[in-house]
Each structure stands twice: as C-alpha cells, then as structure tokens.
Amino acid sequence: MTASQVRQDIAHSQKAQNNINTIYQLVLGRNVEPEGLNANEDALASGQTLNDILFKTSHSTEATNQVTNFLNNTIGEVSDDLVNAGQTMLTSITQAYATIKNYTSDQLQAAANGYQTAFSTAGNVLDSLMPKTQSQWIGLAATMAVMVTPVGETVAAASLLAVGGEKLLATALDAELDTATVYSAVRVSVSGATAEASATFDELAAFDPQASGTTLQLDANTTVTQVASTKYQKENLNFSGGNEAAVETLFRKLTGYTGNLDNAKVASFGNGGVVYAVATPRGVVSLRNVSASGKYWTIEFSPLLSNGVKKVKFDF
Amino acid sequence: MVEYKSDFDNFILGINGDTGLGIWWALGLHNEKQMTTRKKFLKLKEFFEYSILHNRIIEYDLKNQQAIFSGDEPGTVFDRIFADFPLDELPEYDGDSDNRFFAYMAVKFDGWAVLNEGTTLCIPD
C-alpha cells in the first residue's frame, strides 16, 4: 500500500468523518451534510489537515453569518474586527474541545474551577476577553461544558456539541462574564474637596473604633449602629444596619462625586462583586461589596482618618 | 516608603485584616513616584519575607480556613501567595495607579493571615 492510499483510507475513515462532524457541530451548530463531508474528506486526502478544515469552516459564509447574528443580538455592534474575533473564538474553542473531549467529569470540573480571567472594558470587547493561552482556552471550554450541563447530570464535554455556532459564542461570552474580573481603564477623580466631604470625614474621625452603640446617619432615612472593633483591628469602624443605597450615599458624601456611580467602577466580578474608587484631593476612597467574609460593604481610605481608621464596614 | 522595622509590632497591628491594597498603602508604596512598579512589588515581597520570618504573617488557605506550614522559604511563600499578581501587565512606573492593579489588590484576601500574640489570626477582609 502506498502513502497516498494510506492517506485516502484515513481521510475516508469513520474517525475522520466524526472529527469533521464535530467541527461542523461546534462551529455551525449542525451536522455536516453529505456534500460537505465528501468535500472535506477529499481535502484531507489531498493533504489538508483538520485545522485547515476548521479554519475554512469558521471563515465560511455560514459561520460568518452566525458570528454576525451573535454580534447583533448580544454585543449590539458589528465590525470586521469583531467578526474576526468571533471567528477566532469559534476556532479556538473547537481546538480546545479536542483536548477536553476525553476529560472525565472531575477533570472538567477542575479545569473550570481553575479558570479565571481579567479584561478591560476598553477596546474590542471580544478581543479583550479572549483567552491568551492554550491552557486558558481549555479552561474556558471546560467552564462552558459545566455551564451547559443540566443540573444533576454528569458534566461531559459532549454537552458542548449540543450548543454550537452562534449559541456557542453567546455561551462563551456568558462564561467569560461569569468568571472574569472586568476592570475599567479609567479612574474617576474629583478635583475640589467639598465642605460636605470634609464634614463627613470629621464625623467619622470622631468615632472611637473600640466603642459600640453610637449611631451614624447615612442618609435621611438610614441610621446605622456602631459595633466595637476588636483590640487587633482598631483601624476598622464597624456598623450594623443600613443598605446598599445608603452606603453609596455616604461614599458620595466622602468623595464629593456626583456622577453616575458606574463610571467610578474600577472592577466587577462574575459573582456580582464590585469595587468603586474615586481619587479625591484628600486621597483615594474606595467602596466594595466584596470581602473574605462575604457579608460586608467596605469603604476604605488612603490616607487614614485622624483617629487611625482606614476602613468602615457595614453589615446589613 | 514607611520604615516598618523600627516599630514592627505597631505596624503589624495596623495591617491586621488588610487586603493587599491596604498593606500596599500602609507601606506607602503608592507615594514612591520614582520607584518602578517592579521595585515596589519587590519591596512588598521584602515586607512579607520579614513578617513571615518573624512569625507575624503566616500562609493561610482561605477556602479551607487553615494555616499552612509548608517549611518553604518566606520568599517562596510570598511567590505562591502573589503568583497571579499582574506585574507584567502594569506600566513600568506608577503601576499602582492602574485600575488593573486596583482590581487585583483591593480584593486580594487569600493566601495569608496575621498572627497576633501567638493566639489570634486576623484574616484579610
């Protein structure tokens, strides 16, 4: 048997047909039709690789239409750069699938648990959230497999085949947004210190962190009650009560920031966590709803207040 | 940068429960405008090494809520804690003004705890 005959046999084997069909399912969201199967088997026999077929399929008119639909429906804009980014995502997820398809459920879960990414809100959103390494693509594909597996069923990479095409991109975007730290490229600043800001700093500086029972009025309707800090955490002022809106009001009083709070968002996290920061003439003031204990809203200062306090914590 | 060694116990008391950002601020690294971001990060590492060596900072697994006594060198422990610090993605100077730095350090809770009087652990929060 000649090398050419061997190549012919492999190109027309059941395994090659399965691989071609997998590419179609992931990129186009459908099974390969007989004509497409024949053409791609011939391409393999003539020396092309599965990667060549993947590239050709993800740049086909049908795939481009699916990417365009995804961009229109999910991102809200279409450009050549975004279409290219979408095609790259389809290609890379399909390549990562080749690695994870034999993973056990535990391996998939471990790869998904280890997957984290971070991206800026500046520039092309798809490019900025795109994994940068093969290991990250595998993490993303595993995360997607976990996401699309119905609750109670065993996680399997094969679940991704049932998504495919436009929905695959939407799932990838969801997976990124669920796991990523999205950080803003711009820091908000306030140029002049307001009298209200100075008064609010003075009010906080009058608290003794180790005292308890004293109250602080956050807004017209909300008063919180001080809880004593331990002797090891004298730089914390702790309060119980309040609510998100009232704490945001206090943050605005301290910073003098009157704009849309979303513009002061430094980072947001897949679990709903958010960090705001405003640079003021006095220093940076930040507000976050993320903490190790998971229950606090925290306002943090640099530099410290005159009573040594650097953090004010609210436990609703 | 703050000279923390001269009044070390008091300095440590001030960073109890601090995130990575709180410690960075406490060390005054953000005020060092002539220092490269990399150099500042090495200063942070020196602080952790000193604190670990003097038994005031210990490695801590937040998820499993347990201290880790690995037997590793303090520098190795620091490298493990801050393995995902985005140093290579920050500008050469003033990297701590970059929101990428802020986004990482403001919520950097995991990896260490401060030991007080040999009996009380304070976890970054």
Side-chain angles (χ1 to χ4, degrees):
Chain A
M1 184 177 282
T2 65
S4 173
Q5 286 172 319
V6 171
R7 193 156 57 209
Q8 285 284 344
D9 285 351
I10 293 174
H12 295 283
S13 67
Q14 186 62 50
K15 187 175 180 184
Q17 291 174 354
N18 290 344
N19 286 334
I20 293 167
N21 199 46
T22 295
I23 289 172
Y24 269 64
Q25 286 178 316
L26 286 168
V27 175
L28 303 176
R30 66 171 174 83
N31 289 326
V32 64
E33 75 285 3
E35 297 78 13
L37 184 61
N38 287 336
N40 284 306
E41 285 181 29
D42 290 346
L44 285 177
S46 70
Q48 289 190 27
T49 65
L50 279 171
N51 268 341
D52 294 332
I53 291 170
L54 170 58
F55 183 86
K56 191 172 61 181
T57 308
S58 59
H59 287 75
S60 66
T61 304
E62 185 176 347
T64 303
N65 288 340
Q66 294 214 19
V67 171
T68 304
N69 287 341
F70 158 73
L71 293 171
N72 270 324
N73 295 333
T74 309
I75 307 289
E77 64 176 284
V78 179
S79 67
D80 288 348
D81 283 350
L82 282 168
V83 170
N84 286 337
Q87 288 166 329
T88 301
M89 290 200 78
L90 282 176
T91 305
S92 299
I93 291 168
T94 304
Q95 286 171 330
Y97 176 82
T99 302
I100 67 164
K101 69 180 179 184
N102 294 321
Y103 275 19
T104 64
S105 178
D106 287 346
Q107 286 174 314
L108 281 170
Q109 197 70 60
N113 290 344
Y115 180 60
Q116 285 185 325
T117 187
F119 63 91
S120 169
T121 52
N124 176 332
V125 63
L126 284 188
D127 270 342
S128 64
L129 65 74
M130 200 99 73
K132 303 294 185 289
T133 65
Q134 179 60 15
S135 156
Q136 288 178 332
W137 279 112
I138 289 169
L140 173 59
T143 303
M144 292 167 64
V146 171
M147 279 178 67
V148 300
T149 302
V151 176
E153 290 187 15
T154 305
V155 178
S159 308
L160 273 184
L161 296 176
V163 182
E166 182 185 341
K167 286 184 182 171
L168 191 77
L169 286 174
T171 306
L173 186 64
D174 284 347
E176 290 287 66
L177 293 175
D178 280 354
T179 55
T181 298
V182 185
Y183 65 95
S184 161
V186 181
R187 176 85 53 86
V188 163
S189 62
V190 173
S191 54
T194 65
E196 185 179 45
S198 298
T200 310
F201 272 109
D202 289 346
E203 188 178 8
L204 290 176
F207 278 85
D208 171 3
Q210 291 190 270
S212 63
T214 314
T215 58
L216 172 69
Q217 188 157 5
L218 301 183
D219 62 22
N221 303 313
T222 313
T223 300
V224 293
T225 305
Q226 187 185 3
V227 178
S229 295
T230 71
K231 65 176 181 176
Y232 299 118
Q233 296 196 317
K234 296 176 187 172
E235 300 194 345
N236 285 6
L237 265 184
N238 300 321
F239 292 98
S240 69
N243 54 66
E244 183 178 330
V247 171
E248 285 179 6
T249 299
L250 180 67
F251 179 66
R252 285 181 182 281
K253 284 185 192 173
L254 286 165
T255 58
Y257 182 67
T258 55
N260 185 335
L261 208 54
D262 275 348
N263 295 332
K265 194 184 289 178
V266 172
S268 55
F269 308 91
N271 59 2
V274 63
V275 179
Y276 303 101
V278 176
T280 75
R282 191 192 173 281
V284 176
V285 183
S286 72
L287 168 66
R288 57 181 161 90
N289 66 353
V290 187
S291 63
S293 54
K295 59 181 181 178
Y296 292 114
W297 278 73
T298 306
I299 295 177
E300 202 158 355
F301 316 101
S302 170
L304 314 182
L305 304 182
S306 59
N307 57 350
V309 165
K310 65 165 75 168
K311 279 189 275 191
V312 184
K313 288 184 162 288
F314 301 90
D315 183 3
F316 302 156
Chain B
M1 181 179 169
V2 170
E3 209 303 283
Y4 53 85
K5 292 179 187 174
S6 57
D7 191 6
F8 187 56
D9 283 345
N10 199 38
F11 184 84
I12 283 287
L13 193 59
I15 61 145
N16 268 332
D18 273 2
T19 62
L21 183 66
I23 294 177
W24 190 277
W25 280 349
L27 289 169
L29 291 169
H30 58 304
N31 294 325
E32 298 292 338
K33 299 302 179 191
Q34 305 303 318
M35 199 182 283
T36 64
T37 308
R38 188 170 296 276
K39 179 79 174 174
K40 290 183 186 184
F41 186 62
L42 287 176
K43 291 290 183 187
L44 179 70
K45 181 173 182 174
E46 282 177 22
F47 166 72
F48 267 80
E49 287 177 316
Y50 186 85
S51 303
I52 292 169
L53 195 63
H54 288 80
N55 303 318
R56 296 305 308 274
I57 285 183
I58 59 171
E59 190 175 8
Y60 187 80
D61 178 348
L62 183 63
K63 186 177 176 187
N64 295 307
Q65 298 187 24
Q66 61 183 25
I68 299 170
F69 299 101
S70 62
D72 292 333
E73 292 293 321
T76 304
V77 172
F78 174 87
D79 291 343
R80 192 156 51 231
I81 294 171
F82 287 94
D84 53 350
F85 184 82
L87 185 59
D88 293 334
E89 293 152 36
L90 297 174
E92 184 179 4
Y93 286 92
D94 215 19
D96 40 19
S97 292
D98 190 288
N99 276 352
R100 179 126 200 178
F101 168 88
F102 209 97
Y104 175 87
M105 290 294 261
V107 296
K108 179 62 180 172
F109 310 114
D110 192 14
W112 77 92
V114 175
L115 180 61
N116 292 281
E117 300 177 344
T119 61
T120 305
L121 279 179
C122 285
I123 315 299
D125 192 49

